[in-house]
Amino acid sequence: MKAAVFREPGKPLTIEDLHVDKPRGREVLVRTVAAGVCHSDLHFVEGLYPYPAPAVLGHESAGIVEQVGEQVTYVSPGDHVIACLTVFCGSCEQCLSGRPNLCSNRAATQRDPSGEPRLKLGNEMVHQFMDIGGYAEKMLLHENAVVKVTKEIPLDRAALIGCAVTTGLGAVFNTAKVQPGSSVAVFGCGGVGLAVVQGAKLAGARQIIAVDVFEHKLETAKKFGATHTVVAAGDNPVRKIRELSGGGVDYSFEAIGKKETAEQAFYCLAPGGTATVIGMVPGKDKIEIDGRHFLVEKRIQGTFMGSARHRIDIPRYVDFYLQGRLNLDDMVTRRRRLDEINQAFEAMKAGEVVRTVLTFN
Ligand code: CXF
Ligand code: ZN
């Protein structure tokens, strides 16, 4: 099968022919139909975060089950599925406490490292990014890394639920628990930021302030439900947000992954407000906060994949889409083939697209 392979940080991905094993035990073999191109993959391609090579990147994919291992009970061939990087073991303390997104025993869902690998290039083992490896014609996944979805949702839209949508909506509903009537600021209007905007609208926020350096992205944010916009180019947007919200917002979301914007997300809060940092802030960057703000009960917190319990949350998001309450159609702004993956990254860097989705035959 063809796959886009990561070989070295800073180098383009290369399209190569890999061998994918047959599903064993609780594994399922999925024919990829669509793969969203997410900023997080680019962080790894650029070496901002390390990842072992060679690896198949991609973690926002959807497809059709082709074959299942002998112990699989959850899906059958022909089922439509969304791949989820929040693969869960189902029996560790995190899973049993209702936080399967933080599963502490992913190893239980992976192959024994000394045995036959899932993916190979000749005799060499190839890593599967986040246990998915979605930039490939096929994905060999643990059954707990997929969610079955109705065939009513087109798979190129469904793919986005695998990352951007679950991350953004989940940050709003599960992590921050945004209340009806509240005010929200969203830093960054890419795929995740727009999902936060849509989530805030679904949660009944009265004011949704979108912040970005690109004016065209702010225009898009308005279409998705932003009530106000702030252009952040060269300027600290905190004063403007405080002005618009009459003293600070109840909830803020950082969907970029920068120290500066994480700090701004905290400083634009009203007393009692909560900042949720979604973006991947590099570990070398320390977030600095003036301690006096804690006296008025301001909070800052992390979130991982929208604190998702993916088998519960994803079917709900699919229903929102089918009911016309979640706009995924306009989030897919470009479709490309697998061998155009590097151009898709370039377009993302230039701020040209909300989401490129790679489509497969
Ligand atoms: C990320 C989270 C960290 C690993 C890669 C995927 N989430 C969304 O893009
Ligand atoms: Zn992602």
Side-chain angles (χ1 to χ4, degrees):
M1 66 154 184
K2 296 228 171 334
V5 179
F6 164 75
R7 294 207 156 263
E8 219 182 306
K11 293 275 162 63
L13 301 184
T14 48
I15 306 299
E16 306 191 33
D17 227 325
L18 306 193
H19 172 77
V20 57
D21 200 18
K22 290 207 169 0
R24 304 176 184 199
R26 298 186 64 191
E27 291 173 342
V28 301
L29 183 66
V30 177
R31 179 169 67 77
T32 313
V33 174
V37 180
C38 173
H39 226 108
S40 307
D41 292 301
L42 183 61
H43 289 330
F44 289 92
V45 174
E46 290 182 333
L48 194 63
Y49 292 86
Y51 208 79
V56 177
L57 298 185
H59 61 274
E60 192 182 76
S61 297
I64 302 173
V65 174
E66 243 182 32
Q67 226 184 328
V68 299
E70 62 284 0
Q71 290 163 26
V72 169
T73 55
Y74 175 59
V75 285
S76 317
D79 282 346
H80 286 200
V81 293
I82 296 176
C84 301
L85 67 87
T86 44
V87 56
F88 60 94
C89 75
S91 40
C92 71
E93 195 164 323
Q94 294 287 0
C95 284
L96 294 174
S97 315
R99 288 189 292 259
N101 64 314
L102 301 178
C103 173
S104 57
N105 191 15
R106 282 177 86 102
T109 68
Q110 296 162 338
R111 283 197 177 178
D112 179 343
S114 61
E116 183 65 15
R118 286 181 181 162
L119 304 179
K120 278 199 308 197
L121 195 69
N123 277 330
E124 187 185 16
M125 181 249 194
V126 177
H127 298 273
Q128 222 178 2
F129 182 60
M130 297 312 290
D131 300 311
I132 294 182
Y135 297 149
E137 288 173 330
K138 298 200 180 183
M139 300 176 285
L140 185 55
L141 310 169
H142 189 277
E143 65 174 326
N144 288 357
V146 301
V147 171
K148 198 164 34 180
V149 293
T150 162
K151 292 177 182 154
E152 285 171 76
I153 180 167
L155 287 168
D156 60 351
R157 265 47 64 83
L160 266 51
I161 302 178
C163 181
V165 170
T166 292
T167 300
L169 263 58
V172 171
F173 302 152
N174 302 328
T175 319
K177 301 186 174 66
V178 168
Q179 297 298 300
S182 58
S183 54
V184 171
V186 185
F187 290 76
C189 297
V192 172
L194 293 177
V196 172
V197 168
Q198 295 206 64
K201 185 176 171 195
L202 282 162
R206 135 192 137 265
Q207 185 178 47
I208 304 171
I209 306 172
V211 187
D212 205 291
V213 292
F214 292 109
E215 293 198 34
H216 71 273
K217 288 198 174 185
L218 293 172
E219 284 312 307
T220 310
K222 278 193 203 155
K223 284 198 218 137
F224 284 94
T227 58
H228 299 76
T229 56
V230 173
V231 189
D235 214 12
N236 185 329
V238 171
R239 193 183 46 81
K240 193 80 211 299
I241 298 168
R242 297 186 69 85
E243 223 171 82
L244 286 169
S245 57
V249 291
D250 302 313
Y251 302 93
S252 64
F253 296 88
E254 199 277 357
I256 301 167
K258 287 200 158 89
K259 162 193 167 65
E260 294 75 17
T261 37
E263 290 166 357
Q264 290 165 5
F266 183 75
Y267 287 120
C268 72
L269 293 173
T274 303
T276 303
V277 179
I278 306 173
M280 296 170 66
V281 182
K284 64 174 176 44
D285 296 335
K286 306 288 173 266
I287 293 170
E288 287 169 89
I289 281 164
D290 177 341
R292 286 171 303 176
H293 291 260
F294 294 120
L295 284 173
V296 287
E297 300 189 7
K298 291 184 191 174
R299 283 183 281 213
I300 184 160
Q301 62 181 353
T303 177
F304 181 65
M305 300 308 292
S307 311
R309 304 138 307 159
H310 62 226
R311 284 200 195 167
I312 298 173
D313 297 1
I314 287 181
R316 293 181 182 177
Y317 302 157
V318 170
D319 279 351
F320 280 147
Y321 170 76
L322 295 173
Q323 294 163 359
R325 297 159 80 190
L326 174 67
N327 181 353
L328 301 181
D329 299 342
D330 295 321
M331 281 182 76
V332 181
T333 44
R334 203 170 282 174
R335 290 175 175 78
R336 285 186 180 271
R337 314 302 298 177
L338 177 67
D339 58 8
E340 298 172 317
I341 176 79
N342 297 304
Q343 288 104 299
F345 284 134
E346 290 309 317
M348 182 197 283
K349 279 198 266 187
E352 284 170 22
V353 284
V354 175
R355 247 343 180 232
T356 298
V357 172
L358 307 176
T359 54
F360 299 72
N361 288 331

